[in-house]
């Protein structure tokens, strides 16, 4: 068995709201190897961000991790003290977000914010500022930006700063939650290149996007989430050439293709209310195959499908594949 960098087992996360318990993530298991880029895709509300936050034990209230293990190297993240977690955050595991303004302080200069992460982890002040300049260069920003405030930069430049901070320690894992969604395609491409550079230097990538075609460009593996469940997981080529779950097939059919006359098919219906998710397979009310085949009645709508490995490294949770 190859040792994985991150091994998530049976992760379940609920949000306890006044309006009811939202079963946001249920029994999700996956692993990320060293230097592997794994992209999580799925419609809005499928639980991608919730899983991303859980990896650093940062699920926001009223969310609670109710079950599971998150093994990073040899440690279960969920059993670490706050002190131990602080050691890991920003150093071994870094995180970037859709809106870099959420992680940057609007009142402090860029240079101070980059240096701060290093100083927090024990690097001398002078060295930290030197390194901050190098990091800015690395993300293709001029050195003098060190004395700028976040509002003096464009959205793409701010995201570069966030990546510079994330790069400060050559983290083992980068968690990127829709880091390019707010950017135009050219800037998006440049940011994807930077994340690729990090990977080339040995970092594993946990990437969240709702855009499966963006995921397909750079990832090694794709994880498909639907309504809090991981429904399919595999190598990019397996997912693209041999998608097994009807939801993955629907997602792929909904991608516009400039070069073909292919008909774009939106997925009919809406994701379910996770306070009261459908019985059996959560996708069954929208599943085109369930609708077509009466023989599936009493199976898909009753029993939860378990994830099984269909071919090497290709997992699916669907009653059509047993
Ligand atoms: N703070 C919260 N309180 C209550 N429910 C929440 C909270 N945050 C998320 N949820 C619910 O948990 C589920 C998963 O949300 P999550 O943000 O993880 O989805 P996502 O896949 O990242 O979606 P998006 O693509 O829109 O970012 C959703 O049903 C959402 O409504
Ligand atoms: Mg999200």
């Amino acid at each position: 068995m190859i040792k994985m960098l991150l091994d998530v087992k049976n992760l379940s996360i609920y949000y306890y709201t006044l309006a009811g318990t939202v079963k946001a993530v249920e029994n999700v298991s996956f692993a990320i190897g060293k230097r592997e880029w794994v992209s999580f895709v799925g419609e809005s509300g499928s639980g991608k961000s919730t899983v991303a936050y859980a990896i650093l034990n940062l699920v926001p209230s009223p969310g609670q991790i109710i079950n599971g293990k998150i093994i990073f190297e040899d440690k279960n993240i969920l059993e670490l003290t706050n002190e131990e977690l602080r050691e890991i955050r920003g150093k071994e595991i870094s995180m970037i977000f859709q809106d870099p303004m959420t992680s940057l302080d609007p009142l402090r200069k860029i240079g101070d914010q980059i240096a701060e992460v290093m100083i927090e982890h024990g690097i001398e002040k002078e060295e930290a500022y030197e390194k901050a300049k190098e990091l800015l260069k690395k993300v293709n920003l001029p050195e003098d930006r060190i004395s700028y405030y976040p509002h003096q930069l464009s959205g793409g430049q701010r995201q570069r700063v966030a990546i510079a901070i994330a790069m400060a320690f050559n983290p083992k894992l980068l968690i990127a939650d829709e880091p390019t969604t707010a950017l135009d395609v050219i800037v998006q491409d440049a940011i994807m290149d930077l994340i690729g550079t990090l990977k080339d230097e040995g970092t594993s990538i946990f990437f969240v996007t709702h855009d499966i075609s963006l995921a397909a460009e750079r990832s090694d593996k794709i994880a498909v989430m639907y309504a809090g469940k991981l429904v399919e997981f595999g190598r990019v080529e397996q997912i693209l050439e041999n998608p097994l779950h009807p939801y993955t097939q629907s997602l792929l059919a909904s991608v516009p293709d400039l070069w073909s006359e292919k008909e774009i098919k939106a997925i009919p219906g809406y994701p379910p209310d996770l306070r009261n998710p459908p019985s059996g397979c959560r996708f069954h009310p929208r599943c085109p195959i369930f609708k077509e085949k009466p023989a599936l009645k009493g199976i898909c709508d009753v029993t939860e499908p378990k994830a099984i490995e269909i071919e090497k490294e290709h997992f699916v949770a669907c009653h059509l594949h047993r």
Side-chain angles (χ1 to χ4, degrees):
M1 262 286 272
I2 311 165
K3 190 98 181 53
M4 300 306 259
L5 178 72
L6 180 76
D7 203 348
V8 173
K9 289 202 176 92
N10 303 321
L11 183 66
S12 297
I13 305 165
Y14 292 179
Y15 290 96
Y16 294 94
T17 73
L18 291 176
T21 301
V22 181
K23 296 172 178 164
V25 172
E26 192 104 77
N27 237 329
V28 164
S29 301
F30 64 91
I32 301 183
K34 290 204 174 108
R35 238 178 223 250
E36 210 167 50
W37 181 323
V38 178
S39 290
F40 280 70
V41 302
E43 282 162 296
S44 184
S46 56
K48 307 178 296 292
S49 296
T50 303
V51 173
Y53 281 90
I55 292 171
L56 276 170
N57 205 354
L58 286 175
V59 175
S61 165
Q64 269 182 44
I65 298 178
I66 60 147
N67 188 47
K69 282 186 188 161
I70 298 176
I71 311 292
F72 176 69
E73 298 192 303
D74 295 322
K75 307 171 274 267
N76 184 355
I77 293 278
L78 303 179
E79 286 171 355
L80 299 183
T81 61
N82 284 336
E83 184 58 35
E84 289 168 321
L85 268 176
R86 252 199 308 278
E87 264 305 299
I88 289 182
R89 280 184 202 141
K91 193 170 175 190
E92 299 192 27
I93 304 179
S94 296
M95 202 162 176
I96 56 175
F97 305 89
Q98 175 172 339
D99 178 5
M101 275 317 237
T102 54
S103 53
L104 294 176
D105 182 342
L107 300 177
R108 292 177 58 221
K109 290 180 180 165
I110 298 301
D112 296 342
Q113 301 194 49
I114 305 178
E116 182 186 40
V117 193
M118 290 180 273
I119 294 166
E120 249 171 38
H121 286 288
I123 291 183
E124 293 295 330
K125 209 172 159 187
E126 222 168 293
E127 192 189 338
Y129 277 89
E130 267 320 299
K131 183 105 194 278
K133 283 189 211 155
E134 276 169 39
L135 285 166
L136 281 177
K137 251 190 268 168
K138 211 165 163 186
V139 297
N140 300 319
L141 285 175
E143 263 184 34
D144 67 349
R145 296 299 184 272
I146 202 157
S147 50
Y148 280 47
Y149 289 94
H151 74 266
Q152 294 174 296
L153 303 177
S154 70
Q157 287 170 332
R158 284 198 286 263
Q159 198 56 288
R160 285 172 196 270
V161 171
I163 294 177
I165 293 172
M167 280 177 152
F169 285 99
N170 292 323
K172 291 172 181 159
L173 179 67
L174 174 75
I175 300 168
D177 187 0
E178 310 234 25
T180 65
T181 306
L183 307 171
D184 67 64
V185 280
I186 308 275
V187 182
Q188 169 171 307
D189 226 38
I191 298 293
M192 295 296 276
D193 281 345
L194 277 177
I195 298 174
T197 310
L198 218 72
K199 187 196 145 181
D200 293 340
E201 291 173 3
T203 300
S204 304
I205 314 289
F206 179 114
F207 187 82
V208 174
T209 175
H210 55 264
D211 179 354
I212 195 168
S213 48
L214 184 68
E217 277 175 33
R218 320 252 177 164
S219 326
D220 300 298
K221 288 185 179 164
I222 291 182
V224 183
M225 290 204 57
Y226 182 78
K229 293 274 191 181
L230 185 61
V231 296
E232 188 162 358
F233 185 52
R235 305 199 63 77
V236 169
E237 58 279 9
Q238 293 169 332
I239 301 287
L240 296 184
E241 287 157 27
N242 186 26
L244 297 172
H245 199 286
Y247 179 64
T248 313
Q249 294 164 2
S250 307
L251 264 189
L252 288 167
S254 68
V255 176
D257 185 343
L258 283 180
W259 289 276
S260 82
E261 306 273 289
K262 187 187 85 171
E263 188 192 349
I264 302 165
K265 289 201 188 106
I267 307 171
Y270 297 96
D273 180 348
L274 294 181
R275 287 173 302 177
N276 188 17
S279 56
C281 169
R282 289 187 177 183
F283 188 57
H284 87 262
R286 293 171 82 189
C287 179
I289 300 173
F290 177 74
K291 279 186 194 135
E292 264 166 31
K293 292 193 176 165
L296 294 172
K297 268 239 154 45
I299 301 171
C300 303
D301 51 342
V302 173
T303 313
E304 247 182 69
K306 286 205 170 62
I308 54 167
E309 193 169 11
I310 296 286
E311 53 184 328
K312 195 168 180 289
E313 297 186 292
H314 190 180
F315 296 82
V316 68
C318 171
H319 290 296
L320 298 168
H321 306 278
R322 281 192 290 186

